[in-house]
Amino acid sequence: MLRLENLSCGYGPVRAVHSLSLAIAERETLALLGPNGAGKTSTIMAIMGHTTIHGGSILFRGEDITHVPPVKRVELGIALVPEGRLLFSDLSVEDNLTVGGYRHAMARDHTNRQRVYALFPRLAERRAQIASSLSGGEQQMLAMGRALMAEPKLLLIDELSLGLMPKMVDLCFDALAALRKDGVTILLVEQNTTRALDFADQVCVMTSGSLAFSGSAAQTKANDRLFDVFVGAS
Ligand SMILES: Nc1ncnc2c1ncn2[C@@H]1O[C@H](COP(=O)(O)OP(=O)(O)O)[C@@H](O)[C@H]1O
Ligand SMILES: [Mg+2]
């Protein structure tokens, strides 16, 4: 589904990611872990097309998208739930969803909206409410819903659980599990490493902009030393 080959990227001349290679198979969930400043968000931003590429390539379903504009990537089937949610805070729940689905015909928009409301009944109850008046967990649900309006095949999620109450984290992971069951491929950046390891199939750990470790989630959990060094410490 997605392959990064020796990807180096950053912001103008600043380099944030150094020669990173990783791959996610269709329907698989990959957890991207690592301490603050490791380059996780920059990697996600590169996949969306929002960084300066210094080298290497990004392949999506076999197609080289390294220099494809961000809007085209959304059309190809990649959507982002950004760190900090970045909702349109003055717009209603309904209107935030409209923005996420703006490229689709009305009929599709209606179906997608119903899917989002079925996944997150709390959003359906609050559909006329202004985004800024939602709780943190509801805002995260809306950020996920907005991304789903684009009908992604690959969903990139940056810091799903950050700042959320445990109950809300549960609801967000439940939704993610339902999406995975529907065949969506997921790249998850998550500071709750235990949670991420329980959910993901594969794990990549980054430190200082480079890949420090990659393996299956089961392998990582089973190996205490690996867990402590790469995961427990972060
Ligand atoms: N907009 C930016 N301009 C310049 N440097 C940035 C920008 N965003 C992040 N960085 C730098 O890139 C590196 C990786 O950051 P980031 O990808 O946000 O890490 P993470 O998401 O793992 O915490 C850090 O050194 C950070 O300071
Ligand atoms: Mg980040």
Side-chain angles (χ1 to χ4, degrees):
M1 177 67 67
L2 181 80
R3 185 179 290 278
L4 307 183
E5 287 175 349
N6 300 313
L7 183 72
S8 297
C9 67
Y11 307 89
V14 178
R15 237 173 232 223
V17 174
H18 311 280
S19 199
L20 176 67
S21 296
L22 61 82
I24 314 175
E26 195 169 344
R27 292 174 166 266
E28 197 173 72
T29 296
L30 183 127
L32 186 57
L33 307 177
N36 260 342
K40 306 180 299 293
T41 296
S42 301
T43 301
I44 279 191
M45 285 306 176
I47 298 167
M48 286 313 294
H50 297 304
T51 60
T52 309
I53 303 292
H54 294 287
S57 51
I58 306 170
L59 300 169
F60 179 64
R61 305 177 100 201
E63 185 183 338
D64 189 331
I65 60 160
T66 316
H67 300 288
V68 164
V71 171
K72 185 81 201 310
R73 300 187 198 207
V74 177
E75 281 172 19
L76 288 172
I78 309 176
L80 169 68
V81 182
E83 188 173 6
R85 287 126 215 174
L86 307 185
L87 296 168
F88 299 94
S89 54
D90 295 339
L91 297 185
S92 66
V93 167
E94 280 275 286
D95 289 345
N96 268 279
L97 294 183
T98 304
V99 174
Y102 76 104
R103 302 199 74 80
H104 295 311
M106 285 304 283
R108 295 261 289 282
D109 183 278
H110 180 75
T111 310
N112 290 336
R113 205 173 285 263
Q114 294 317 308
R115 266 186 63 204
V116 169
Y117 287 146
L119 197 60
F120 300 113
R122 296 175 79 99
L123 291 183
E125 291 163 18
R126 292 161 177 75
R127 63 179 79 198
Q129 219 168 298
I130 298 298
S132 59
S133 71
L134 300 173
S135 75
E138 290 158 2
Q139 291 192 16
Q140 186 62 287
M141 291 175 188
L142 182 53
M144 288 170 81
R146 181 183 57 185
L148 293 175
M149 291 295 289
E151 300 177 10
K153 296 178 181 74
L154 172 66
L155 188 61
L156 312 174
I157 307 177
D158 200 353
E159 305 287 9
L160 179 70
S161 75
L162 196 66
L164 303 188
M165 314 245 295
K167 171 90 171 67
M168 286 297 180
V169 177
D170 287 344
L171 291 176
C172 287
F173 269 98
D174 287 350
L176 219 49
L179 293 172
R180 171 161 68 178
K181 203 151 163 269
D182 273 356
V184 178
T185 305
I186 299 166
L187 172 57
L188 177 68
V189 168
E190 176 57 62
Q191 41 84 45
N192 184 336
T193 48
T194 310
R195 201 84 215 218
L197 286 176
D198 281 342
F199 186 80
D201 305 303
Q202 299 291 326
V203 179
C204 285
V205 180
M206 290 180 78
T207 52
S208 311
S210 301
L211 188 67
F213 167 79
S214 73
S216 75
Q219 233 177 8
T220 312
K221 271 199 291 191
N223 188 329
D224 288 347
R225 213 177 138 258
L226 265 182
F227 189 90
D228 287 346
V229 171
F230 292 119
V231 182
S234 66

